[in-house]
Amino acid sequence: MQKVHYKIDPWKIIEKDFDSSKVKASESIFSLGNGFMGQRANFEEHYSGTTFQGSYIGGIYYPDKTKVGWWKNGYPEYFAKVLNSPSWIGIHINVNSFPLDLNKCLEVSNFKRILDMKSGIYIRSFEAQLTQSSRIAVEVKRFLSMDKNELGVINYKIKSLQGKSKLTIESFIDGNIKNEDSNWSDPFWKHRGSVCSQDLILLNSQTLKTKFDIATYAQTELLNHSGQRLSKFNFSEKEFRVSQTKEHDLNELEHCTILKYGGYINGLNHNRNKFEKIAENTVKYASEKGFKTLEDDHRKVWLEIWDQSDIEIVGDDKAQQGIRFNIFQLNQTYDGRDSRLNIGPKGFTGEKYGGSTYWDTEAYCLPFYMATKSHKVARNLLKYRYDHLEKAIENAEKLGFKNGSALYPMVTMNGEECHNEWEITFEEIHRNGAIAYAIFNYERFTGDLTYIPEMGLEVLIAISRFWAERVNYSENKKAYVILGVTGPNEYENNVNNNWYTNYLAQWCLQYTTKEILKIKKMHPQHWNRIKEKVSWQESEIDKWNQIATQIHFPRHPENNIFLQQDGFLDKTIIPASSIDKSERPINQHWSWDRILRSPFIKQADVLQGLYLFEENFDYEFIKKHFDFYEPLTVHESSLSACVHSILASRLGRIEKAYLLYLRTSRLDLDDYNKEVEEGLHITSMAGTWMSLVQGFGGVRIINDQLHIDSILPKSWEKYNFKINYRNTSINVEVDKKKVNIIHSNPSLAIYCHGELVKI
Ligand code: BGC
């Protein structure tokens, strides 16, 4: 069992005591976001200790020139980086001329952070002994409004605990920011002037190269001990730091409150000539409403979100806290209103992975958004890829493919590939399959039959064309093969016939064929449009059929197990339990070649395929594969444990499923992979949701019928969750004796443990 640092609580994440070695980790854990912008939980006041400063804005990136040791033809020119943006949260305080800095105080006591997930509010409090004769108490509340997404609010209360406290307050916007992961230490922003007044501070900035315009704005108010608003602040600007300052004296046991409203006005949504006006209106709106009303409006949106997406677990607060933390973070990251945005593996909580889009979105995130929100949200995720189709075709062309084949990028911000490790960029082509699978998954789950004729079919055709070009016929094997790939398990590169990739390619060719026939018949007008647009040749289908029926799948010669790749059995097959604990995770201890030669699997690969296509395989078959692959899997990708947990549930191995569930749901809270400082694993959080709803909850669609085969982990008394299946809200409650399924659609048929149940 992992060591627990944050107090277990069903609705809250609580940290007690100040530990400077945990500051970076907690900055990740207590991150805030509202789908539009996000920020790590950096302190408002100055902190001279180790910290990772981060404020991010959805869709705003910089193309950082590629840096590699040895250039390979076909590498992209740049890696898109989510940008650390000007920070508006800074409130520096001097008390009796001594700067408040938790790293330098004589003593910090009663330190506490609380993330209240129910209301989306982050609270931090502490007492600081600054000098022998000066002690203050601070309580800070902060949120990024879910109601008005350009607005963030800070309520910073200071109380004098010892003698008089003469405060100097500087509330500012800081434009002197940089990305920790910049390739060449380039500046990413150019500042284009500021507004500095009693009523508003604002810094106009533009990203270099991509030329995104952003205004960072803020306004500060001070309320005295009796809650009276005091006259306005002084203001000044120095080297891209725009400040409002004020002095205020507190007698012993008196307090004051600094209210700060701030955020970004984004050129993706507004004309830059209007930035100042919009910022003025926003602070006016905030000031008139006041903290309490803004907080209530924000809270209301969270209540609606929880009403749709909460999962309640009774009898196991650790598991409860885990799932809510995951659901909370997913909702902070993406709200699905803007199809130009997507879900970066770290969301708004860090810089790793560049904030860009990966296959994680289709393979892991889509089911969560599809089941807990209006179907428009999931459709927007699909539309994102439709809008990038031309770029995906160009990407394939750059690599030598022709005739409208599309290779979607492994990593992207705008449809262009920006990943630059050959074994991933060129070889992890399974991402194309996940995008096709998402289209299938969306239609069968939502029942929206319009997406495929309107957009999806073009994507499917282009992806199928890619597979048809990427295979070659092996005279030796008398079969089609896919050479030189990396499967989801990145601990093997440049392998031949990765089972997962080959299976997806086969499925994709067959599925696209089926959909073409369907659309021809049901939507002839759409088909005529598409046919023209893609220069369709009827002979393509015959070729696809030939490939699909003759594609090679590597198998174990004795027990018929699908092998991860042609050469897998040449490895010495020993279980991961034989690795010394001190050498885990192996990616932090072993050389890369040693990892590649080992049989150890980073993340679900063959099992990923069995999970996606579960209805094609029976219990015994899945069991055999699970027993072969699970002992070899080190789960060093955050995307792994959830899939294994779902299969373990399917096999009735509840204890195993439960342990894997804890690992995925508490991955960041308990820092399993020792890297939480870098940010949270947002995309794998959707995997956690899957391991609960599809794993324990047993929600799956088989032959177009909804099945709910729920099981209950031993330590749970009961749990319940909701899904929005084909526009019917279904509530599932599972306890020790029964499964209750509640909905109000008389025509909906659901199978429970093989039996048809109707309302
Ligand atoms: C995983 C990939 C994943 C990426 C971003 C990597 O560690 O192996 O499958 O797409 O992280 O989450």
Side-chain angles (χ1 to χ4, degrees):
M1 283 281 163
Q2 286 294 110
K3 217 169 140 229
V4 173
H5 174 66
Y6 303 100
K7 188 171 174 278
I8 305 293
D9 181 282
W11 274 110
K12 292 182 179 133
I13 310 297
I14 302 170
E15 181 181 37
K16 281 186 165 171
D17 300 331
F18 180 66
D19 175 352
S20 58
S21 73
K22 292 273 183 215
V23 166
K24 273 171 90 177
S26 291
E27 284 173 338
S28 300
I29 294 286
F30 292 87
S31 289
L32 291 178
N34 65 4
F36 169 84
M37 59 178 166
Q39 50 185 221
R40 291 172 55 79
N42 304 129
F43 298 158
E44 288 82 2
E45 68 279 357
H46 178 61
Y47 183 66
S48 58
T50 313
T51 157
F52 171 10
Q53 299 286 311
S55 297
Y56 310 101
I57 310 169
I60 302 302
Y61 64 92
Y62 177 85
D64 203 12
K65 192 167 165 291
T66 300
K67 188 172 197 175
V68 286
W70 203 265
W71 187 267
K72 305 260 180 315
N73 265 349
Y75 271 171
E77 298 293 320
Y78 70 90
F79 194 104
K81 299 259 164 79
V82 62
L83 288 188
N84 189 12
S85 306
S87 169
W88 59 269
I89 66 164
I91 302 177
H92 285 189
I93 311 280
N94 276 7
V95 186
N96 302 328
S97 304
F98 202 87
L100 172 61
D101 173 354
L102 295 194
N103 195 41
K104 298 258 171 75
C105 289
L106 295 181
E107 186 202 38
V108 179
S109 54
N110 293 332
F111 180 90
K112 198 171 184 182
R113 300 195 202 224
I114 300 176
L115 182 62
D116 180 356
M117 298 184 282
K118 197 173 206 166
S119 58
I121 297 189
Y122 163 52
I123 303 165
R124 182 171 61 101
S125 53
F126 59 86
E127 288 176 21
Q129 188 77 44
L130 288 100
T131 61
Q132 294 299 350
S133 57
S134 176
R135 185 177 181 87
I136 57 164
V138 171
E139 188 188 67
V140 196
K141 277 188 176 184
R142 181 156 109 197
F143 61 88
L144 299 184
S145 174
M146 279 289 194
D147 178 54
K148 200 164 173 54
N149 63 10
E150 284 160 348
L151 177 69
V153 185
I154 300 172
N155 178 316
Y156 198 102
K157 183 172 155 192
I158 311 170
K159 184 172 180 182
S160 178
L161 295 179
Q162 191 182 354
K164 281 197 173 186
S165 295
K166 193 175 171 43
L167 305 181
T168 311
I169 301 162
E170 185 202 4
S171 165
F172 60 96
I173 293 170
D174 187 6
N176 296 302
I177 28 94
K178 57 178 179 39
N179 268 50
E180 295 225 335
D181 71 341
S182 126
N183 282 345
W184 305 91
S185 302
D186 282 356
F188 290 168
W189 292 98
K190 176 174 90 185
H191 300 301
R192 304 176 48 251
S194 62
V195 175
C196 194
S197 75
Q198 298 207 15
D199 302 313
L200 181 71
I201 45 176
L202 180 146
L203 182 65
N204 274 311
S205 316
Q206 191 180 60
T207 57
L208 290 162
K209 294 191 189 166
T210 35
K211 301 207 177 316
F212 292 115
D213 287 303
I214 292 291
T216 311
Y217 74 91
Q219 167 63 351
T220 324
E221 292 174 358
L222 183 66
L223 308 183
N224 70 7
H225 184 73
S226 5
Q228 261 175 332
R229 207 172 284 188
L230 299 182
S231 60
K232 303 209 167 155
F233 280 62
N234 295 321
F235 46 91
S236 63
E237 196 212 320
K238 202 173 164 202
E239 289 165 3
F240 311 124
R241 178 163 164 147
V242 200
S243 307
Q244 291 176 319
T245 50
K246 192 163 186 61
E247 300 202 337
H248 185 66
D249 293 347
L250 294 176
N251 288 322
E252 190 165 287
L253 298 184
E254 267 186 358
H255 68 261
C256 66
T257 304
I258 303 160
L259 282 181
K260 186 168 187 181
Y261 311 114
Y264 304 103
I265 312 296
N266 185 339
L268 285 178
N269 306 319
H270 302 286
N271 183 318
R272 79 173 193 212
N273 298 326
K274 303 218 169 107
F275 281 0
E276 192 179 329
K277 190 80 213 140
I278 297 167
E280 268 170 21
N281 289 343
T282 312
V283 294
K284 195 160 163 259
Y285 165 92
S287 175
E288 279 168 12
K289 283 216 158 196
F291 182 78
K292 180 77 183 58
T293 315
L294 293 172
E295 189 187 16
D296 285 348
D297 293 347
H298 169 69
R299 203 184 283 269
K300 246 183 249 156
V301 181
W302 270 110
L303 285 183
E304 283 160 25
I305 292 173
W306 285 115
D307 182 52
Q308 286 307 305
S309 58
D310 188 26
I311 298 183
E312 192 186 13
I313 300 172
V314 178
D316 186 347
D317 283 350
K318 209 170 171 189
Q320 173 71 83
Q321 185 183 41
I323 189 68
R324 286 207 174 116
F325 184 64
N326 288 251
I327 295 171
F328 177 75
Q329 292 296 348
L330 286 164
N331 276 293
Q332 292 209 109
T333 307
Y334 183 74
D335 66 12
R337 276 186 271 176
D338 186 341
S339 65
R340 293 167 302 177
L341 305 184
N342 208 281
I343 307 146
K346 297 251 171 261
F348 294 120
T349 70
E351 294 171 11
K352 198 172 170 198
Y353 301 114
S356 306
T357 309
Y358 285 64
W359 72 300
D360 306 27
T361 294
E362 286 76 18
Y364 296 86
C365 300
L366 186 82
F368 168 79
Y369 292 101
M370 205 154 65
T372 63
K373 301 207 171 292
S374 140
H375 294 332
K376 279 191 213 128
V377 170
R379 193 175 160 117
N380 268 346
L381 284 176
L382 299 191
K383 183 169 180 297
Y384 177 90
R385 295 295 191 176
Y386 177 72
D387 291 341
H388 290 174
L389 177 58
E390 246 174 74
K391 290 260 168 62
I393 293 175
E394 272 170 33
N395 184 40
E397 275 168 3
K398 277 187 208 151
L399 305 183
F401 293 85
K402 298 185 211 83
N403 307 327
S405 295
L407 176 59
Y408 274 92
M410 185 66 193
V411 179
T412 193
M413 272 288 184
N414 60 4
E416 288 170 11
E417 176 65 88
C418 54
H419 197 277
N420 56 41
E421 285 166 285
W422 64 269
E423 63 277 23
I424 294 179
T425 312
F426 307 139
E427 298 209 327
E428 244 187 269
I429 52 178
H430 65 81
R431 65 214 188 221
N432 251 9
I435 291 166
Y437 185 88
I439 295 173
F440 156 74
N441 203 10
Y442 171 79
E443 188 183 89
R444 76 174 172 168
F445 191 87
T446 63
D448 171 5
L449 302 180
T450 64
Y451 181 72
I452 295 186
E454 286 172 16
M455 298 182 217
L457 191 63
E458 289 170 52
V459 173
L460 290 174
I461 290 174
I463 289 178
S464 289
R465 284 175 166 173
F466 172 81
W467 293 124
E469 266 195 86
R470 184 61 166 76
V471 299
N472 66 281
Y473 187 75
S474 154
E475 281 301 338
N476 177 32
K477 288 197 161 65
K478 300 279 179 262
Y480 284 93
V481 292
I482 306 185
L483 306 179
V485 300
T486 299
N489 170 25
E490 291 173 344
Y491 288 177
E492 286 193 319
N493 301 151
N494 202 34
V495 298
N496 294 334
N497 296 308
N498 168 254
W499 178 82
Y500 173 78
T501 308
N502 286 19
Y503 194 84
L504 265 180
Q506 179 194 52
W507 169 83
C508 195
L509 293 168
Q510 290 168 337
Y511 175 62
T512 308
T513 303
K514 212 170 87 201
E515 287 303 308
I516 289 177
L517 299 178
K518 195 167 99 192
I519 303 302
K520 264 186 186 173
K521 203 161 139 205
M522 316 273 288
H523 302 277
Q525 271 175 333
H526 275 300
W527 174 245
N528 287 337
R529 174 186 56 81
I530 296 168
K531 196 167 83 174
E532 285 297 305
K533 190 168 170 193
V534 307
S535 308
W536 176 249
Q537 306 284 321
E538 280 305 324
S539 58
E540 290 184 73
I541 282 202
D542 298 335
K543 179 76 185 168
W544 292 358
N545 185 31
Q546 195 183 340
I547 297 167
T549 48
Q550 294 180 51
I551 197 159
H552 170 69
F553 293 115
R555 285 171 198 265
H556 196 296
E558 284 150 26
N559 53 19
N560 219 11
I561 280 180
F562 283 131
L563 293 176
Q564 199 165 268
Q565 45 104 354
D566 278 352
F568 195 70
L569 283 188
D570 293 335
K571 296 186 163 188
T572 308
I573 309 286
I574 45 166
S577 57
S578 63
I579 309 168
D580 196 278
K581 274 209 176 68
S582 64
E583 296 178 12
R584 301 283 291 266
I586 56 174
N587 66 17
Q588 290 174 18
H589 293 92
W590 288 10
S591 68
W592 190 240
D593 71 301
R594 186 172 172 200
I595 290 178
L596 291 179
R597 282 182 277 114
S598 84
F600 302 125
I601 298 172
K602 180 183 180 191
Q603 69 198 90
D605 194 302
V606 172
L607 295 188
Q608 180 83 24
L610 298 190
Y611 155 66
L612 292 181
F613 297 101
E614 198 196 297
E615 62 180 313
N616 299 347
F617 304 102
D618 66 23
Y619 176 92
E620 280 306 319
F621 192 84
I622 296 175
K623 179 165 164 282
K624 197 160 72 169
H625 283 75
F626 188 84
D627 289 340
F628 184 75
Y629 285 111
E630 161 58 19
L632 302 174
T633 309
V634 286
H635 299 295
E636 289 178 13
S637 160
S638 63
L639 301 174
S640 188
C642 53
V643 171
H644 283 232
S645 175
I646 296 169
L647 291 178
S649 284
R650 163 92 163 87
L651 297 173
R653 309 220 178 134
I654 306 184
E655 198 46 34
K656 180 83 190 167
Y658 176 71
L659 289 176
L660 288 161
Y661 164 79
L662 276 190
R663 184 182 173 118
T664 171
S665 72
R666 300 191 58 87
L667 178 81
D668 290 321
L669 284 176
D670 299 341
D671 200 8
Y672 275 83
N673 286 355
K674 301 189 177 58
E675 56 183 15
V676 73
E677 293 186 350
E678 295 172 355
L680 305 176
H681 295 85
I682 298 294
T683 46
S684 87
M685 294 185 171
T688 301
W689 178 91
M690 298 192 316
S691 64
L692 211 148
V693 172
Q694 302 176 356
F696 302 135
V699 171
R700 50 177 65 77
I701 301 169
I702 304 174
N703 294 329
D704 208 37
Q705 297 292 341
L706 180 63
H707 289 241
I708 302 183
D709 301 326
S710 309
I711 53 174
L712 184 75
K714 240 200 309 196
S715 55
W716 299 6
E717 267 168 49
K718 52 183 182 179
Y719 67 100
N720 62 67
F721 61 87
K722 256 189 200 167
I723 52 169
N724 171 15
Y725 174 73
R726 299 189 182 173
N727 287 324
T728 296
S729 177
I730 305 174
N731 199 345
V732 182
E733 300 172 351
V734 186
D735 64 24
K736 291 204 156 93
K737 294 199 185 121
K738 57 186 184 314
V739 178
N740 262 341
I741 300 175
I742 304 154
H743 65 86
S744 54
N745 178 355
S747 58
L748 180 66
I750 301 177
Y751 286 81
C752 273
H753 297 284
E755 290 208 12
L756 178 65
V757 281
K758 271 201 148 194
I759 193 160

